[in-house]
Amino acid sequence: MKTKEYIRPKSLKPTQTHYCPGCTHGIIHRILAEVLDEMNLREKAVAVIGVGCSCFAERYFNFDCIDVAHGRAPAVATGVKRANPNLVTITYQGDGDMTAIGSAEALHAAIRGEKITSIMINNAIYGMTGGQMSPTTLIGQKTSTSPYGKKAEEAGYPVRFVETLALQEGVAYAARTAVNNIGNILKTKAAIKKALQAQIDGKGYSIVEILSTCPTNWGVSPKEALKWIEEKMIPVFPLGEFKEI
Amino acid sequence: MGKVLFKGAEAIAEAAIRSGCKFFFGYPITPQTEVAEYMAKRLPQVGGVYLQAESEVSAINMVFGAAATGARVMTSSSSPGVSLKQEGISYIAGAELPCVVVNIMRGGPGLGCIQAAQSDYFQAVKGGGHGDYKNIVLAPSTVQEAVDLVSLAFDLADKYRNPVMILGDAVLAQIMEPIELPEEKKELPEKPWAITGCSNREQNIITSSYPVPEDLEAVNERLNAKYKQIIKEEQRWEEDGVDDAELVFVAYGTSARIAKDAVETLRNKGKKVGLIRPITLWPFPKKAFKNRMAGKKILVVEMSKGQMVEDVEIAVKGQGEIYFYGRTGGIVPYVEEVLEVAEAILNNENVKKWGEDDEN
Ligand SMILES: Cc1ncc(C[n+]2csc(CCOP(=O)(O)OP(=O)(O)O)c2C)c(N)n1
Ligand code: SF4
């Protein structure tokens, strides 16, 4: 049997994360770090980090980082990129950050074809504030602010944000992936690579929405959470590449 | 270079470009839109970027991003738009990034009107957004001064790594006056803290996030020490005939132009009057008042229901009698109105002092 040596990507610091057991935020950090190493981008990269469970990501990433206000990452990234086009500019945002409070900033960065890459962690919930309803919360899903289960008549439908962005001419690459199994993890890595390549090639805005777990606020075990992604989320949020130019 | 005729808003924009500002993020709102329009025309000619954001919220966050890379960057707006920018301004102050924000005030609250007012003084000088932070606030009263203060604003922003606000109003932005423009600034300060990619150095982090209370308190202590230094070193004002004045006018911006006319008229009638015109509204020029106001009457003129007058009260420390005259809603007071109040005070008529009937 061939063995592979575990090497920590240079783009990741040798430290522990604060994420809950079974949370896949950490896996996504690792994927992004591996991609930056492999594409030799660490020294040009800047992560613009939104507010949510990932808001301490600058302590885990080993490259330039900016912490910004809830939802505003695409606007900050726009300022970064316009002022310094050499920087490979990545926003790292939760679903609440990107599809609720920051929907205007994200949509308009896409409309402008801003040469930045957004990574949106969709865990169908507001994790950091303790499990409230998000625009991505599934119909019937119980959260602390939808205690009787989310009802479409009251709260609307789960937003398919990446599809909406893909409709915009300024978008060069738009995909939805998941990190619930090895196959999907590898596809996520490939998608992030393509998204960054689209930015480097100056083609426009790129986004990868990644279905991610929140066992703590879903109230399930880490193992069940992976199944929850597959059985509950993927049917509502289909995986795939929606745009590639 | 000789003098050229310039509209206030456009002069501010040109002065910013000459101060090395290559990036402008804005959103149209009267009466400051000409700043953005001028930038849209000029910045591409000098290799800069004008970008019209989808909102003021976005515009100030674009400023945050550009400032984080070390660039000189500006945004401009008017009262309702500046309210929307307050979230971003608090984050910029917290992250200690330099930038210049122009607020061309109009009448409020709410949508109000587009005419000149000074009713955003509190918002500008007391913080505006959340948290223990301060903006440096500069208040020009002529187009020439606006041009000079824009250059100063960029230097102060870089020196202290802090937002600097230029606080003007519709009169300043819309008036045309002959001005002398500054030479173009070529040498800009080094910014080793900026986000430029981490080659040959450790990671740089721009943040205002300090989840451990002791860490945040230390940051606030450090910020406060910086603010104290600014208070000590950056108070600016213009004064005229204060020492032997019986009545001292205090006014800034457009109100100060009116107060100056009133001073001249009264002096021609042989009255002992003087003027203090704050140029920095934060830090408020308390030095101008220190141990000099005993026995004097002080008339504060503002285009508000009384905002700066509270800082005057603090600076006067009960030494003199404070009176207030203000118009609001976008009405610029006539010199005659101000004269009438001043003469009544000088003649010891029964003019109400500031705050006199507040306790009843
Ligand atoms: C202006 C503002 N409003 C609200 C909050 C509180 N807040 C912090 S994180 C968060 C939700 C984040 O959810 P999401 O973006 O889905 O990320 P997750 O925590 O699930 O990873 C909220 C509402 C805030 N920090 N700022
Ligand atoms: S609350 Fe949810 S999203 Fe946040 S760290 Fe825990 S598991 Fe992850």
Side-chain angles (χ1 to χ4, degrees):
Chain A
M1 203 179 111
K2 264 216 285 198
T3 56
K4 208 172 168 200
E5 197 187 346
Y6 176 91
I7 301 169
R8 182 182 292 279
K10 207 165 175 232
S11 299
L12 218 49
K13 281 187 236 171
T15 181
Q16 274 190 349
T17 69
H18 71 285
Y19 299 112
C20 307
C23 176
T24 43
H25 256 302
I27 294 180
I28 299 165
H29 284 13
R30 160 108 197 175
I31 298 172
L32 176 62
E34 281 181 4
V35 170
L36 290 175
D37 278 15
E38 285 168 24
M39 295 176 80
N40 204 15
L41 295 176
R42 191 184 80 89
E43 297 188 344
K44 285 175 140 191
V46 49
V48 181
I49 299 158
V51 168
C53 283
S54 57
C55 70
F56 304 134
E58 80 286 349
R59 299 168 182 203
Y60 314 138
F61 292 144
N62 184 22
F63 50 91
D64 281 5
C65 291
I66 312 179
D67 293 335
V68 304
H70 199 27
R72 315 297 177 223
V76 174
T78 296
V80 167
K81 189 74 180 188
R82 295 294 182 118
N84 189 342
N86 294 323
L87 291 172
V88 174
T89 307
I90 302 154
T91 77
Y92 193 101
Q93 305 174 258
D95 49 80
D97 194 79
M98 191 160 206
T99 72
I101 192 169
S103 55
E105 284 78 1
L107 183 57
H108 284 274
I111 290 169
R112 287 191 303 270
E114 217 57 68
K115 292 167 193 69
I116 62 174
T117 300
S118 289
I119 293 181
M120 170 180 144
I121 315 306
N122 181 358
N123 55 15
I125 210 155
Y126 285 29
M128 184 182 219
T129 38
Q132 296 81 27
M133 182 174 61
S134 162
T136 53
T137 293
L138 306 179
I139 299 299
Q141 188 181 335
K142 285 188 180 166
T143 71
S144 67
T145 50
S146 58
Y148 307 110
K150 180 173 174 175
K151 292 187 186 67
E153 314 85 83
E154 290 170 1
Y157 298 88
V159 59
R160 297 201 180 96
F161 203 67
V162 77
E163 286 92 331
T164 306
L165 296 189
L167 292 173
Q168 307 308 319
E169 224 169 303
V171 174
Y173 182 77
R176 183 182 293 114
T177 64
V179 284
N180 60 322
N181 60 42
I182 305 287
N184 281 342
I185 287 175
L186 292 175
K187 282 183 189 160
T188 298
K189 187 167 170 181
I192 292 178
K193 260 192 180 159
K194 280 190 187 176
L196 289 174
Q197 195 58 50
Q199 176 182 165
I200 292 160
D201 294 343
K203 288 183 175 161
Y205 179 79
S206 54
I207 174 159
V208 184
E209 175 182 330
I210 303 168
L211 305 186
S212 180
T213 58
C214 182
T216 304
N217 289 303
W218 294 349
V220 298
S221 72
K223 209 169 151 192
E224 282 166 331
L226 296 174
K227 237 168 74 192
W228 203 89
I229 289 188
E230 174 151 3
E231 289 172 3
K232 300 257 174 69
M233 281 184 91
I234 292 177
V236 179
F237 298 113
L239 305 184
E241 294 179 313
F242 301 100
K243 190 161 185 192
E244 187 178 0
I245 58 165
Chain B
M1 214 181 112
K3 290 202 171 184
V4 278
L5 195 60
F6 249 93
K7 188 175 190 170
E10 295 180 340
I12 287 171
E14 181 62 32
I17 292 170
R18 287 170 186 239
S19 305
C21 170
K22 288 277 190 304
F23 304 95
F24 183 91
F25 304 95
Y27 189 84
I29 180 168
T30 310
Q32 64 75 50
T33 304
E34 292 89 339
V35 180
E37 288 170 345
Y38 190 89
M39 286 298 201
K41 200 164 95 191
R42 279 282 285 138
L43 278 174
Q45 298 170 352
V46 296
V49 174
Y50 163 82
L51 182 59
Q52 189 161 312
E54 64 274 18
S55 69
E56 287 86 352
V57 176
S58 262
I60 191 69
N61 281 285
M62 291 172 182
V63 167
F64 185 128
T69 72
R72 282 197 159 179
V73 54
M74 185 168 97
T75 186
S76 168
S77 193
S78 180
S79 311
V82 174
S83 292
L84 285 177
K85 287 188 201 288
Q86 293 299 339
E87 176 200 57
I89 293 173
S90 166
Y91 276 76
I92 291 170
E96 291 190 87
L97 293 176
C99 72
V100 175
V101 177
V102 178
N103 181 5
I104 301 299
M105 293 179 281
R106 56 189 242 180
L111 196 54
C113 74
I114 62 168
Q115 278 78 19
Q118 295 181 320
S119 44
D120 301 345
Y121 178 93
F122 282 149
Q123 188 192 51
V125 308
K126 306 288 179 192
H130 59 284
D132 267 334
Y133 78 93
K134 287 290 182 187
N135 300 320
I136 298 173
V137 183
L138 306 174
S141 77
T142 66
V143 178
Q144 180 66 60
E145 193 183 21
V147 163
D148 299 341
L149 291 184
V150 164
S151 297
L152 176 69
F154 279 102
D155 289 343
L156 291 177
D158 280 344
K159 179 172 178 194
Y160 294 104
R161 289 181 61 182
N162 208 70
V164 179
M165 182 176 278
I166 303 281
L167 193 68
D169 63 40
V171 172
L172 180 79
Q174 300 298 324
I175 203 170
M176 284 187 94
E177 289 181 327
I179 55 162
E180 210 160 312
L181 285 164
E183 290 296 311
E184 201 167 325
K185 192 148 193 159
K186 294 261 156 56
E187 299 248 322
L188 297 177
E190 295 269 313
K191 297 179 180 174
W193 47 264
I195 298 291
T196 52
C198 63
S199 62
N200 302 319
R201 64 157 164 78
E202 295 282 290
Q203 167 199 46
N204 273 351
I205 296 172
I206 301 285
T207 189
S208 65
S209 164
Y210 299 94
V212 178
E214 286 74 16
D215 292 352
L216 180 56
E217 187 167 51
V219 169
N220 277 317
E221 293 290 356
R222 186 164 51 69
L223 289 178
N224 199 252
K226 173 169 91 175
Y227 301 149
K228 285 265 153 66
Q229 188 194 344
I230 297 173
I231 290 171
K232 217 168 110 193
E233 291 174 15
E234 306 298 344
Q235 292 183 32
R236 286 173 169 79
W237 72 94
E238 179 195 339
E239 64 169 71
D240 182 21
V242 174
D243 285 327
D244 68 345
E246 192 184 329
L247 176 74
V248 178
F249 286 88
V250 186
Y252 71 97
T254 297
S255 301
R257 295 175 77 124
I258 295 147
K260 264 190 184 175
D261 281 1
V263 166
E264 200 181 303
T265 309
L266 288 168
R267 282 204 187 140
N268 288 341
K269 291 186 183 173
K271 308 281 187 195
K272 286 194 165 161
V273 290
L275 172 76
I276 295 176
R277 179 175 72 86
I279 294 171
T280 51
L281 299 181
W282 195 88
F284 189 75
K286 286 189 188 169
K287 288 180 195 167
F289 297 85
K290 201 172 174 188
N291 300 330
R292 313 169 66 187
M293 293 293 128
K296 291 192 197 298
K297 292 170 175 176
I298 297 132
L299 174 58
V300 181
V301 182
E302 292 183 70
M303 281 139 64
S304 82
K305 287 312 285 177
Q307 299 194 14
M308 180 181 72
V309 62
E310 295 191 3
D311 282 337
V312 173
E313 207 173 5
I314 293 168
V316 167
K317 286 189 169 164
Q319 298 174 78
E321 289 177 357
I322 297 173
Y323 298 86
F324 176 77
Y325 184 73
R327 295 295 304 265
T328 73
I331 292 169
V332 180
Y334 283 105
V335 181
E336 291 73 31
E337 297 168 47
V338 177
L339 278 172
E340 202 175 306
V341 181
E343 280 178 329
I345 296 168
L346 284 164
N347 295 335
N348 293 317
E349 286 167 31
N350 199 12
V351 181
K352 262 201 197 106
K353 289 188 203 99
W354 167 250
E356 198 167 46
D357 51 6
D358 285 358
E359 282 93 39
N360 298 339

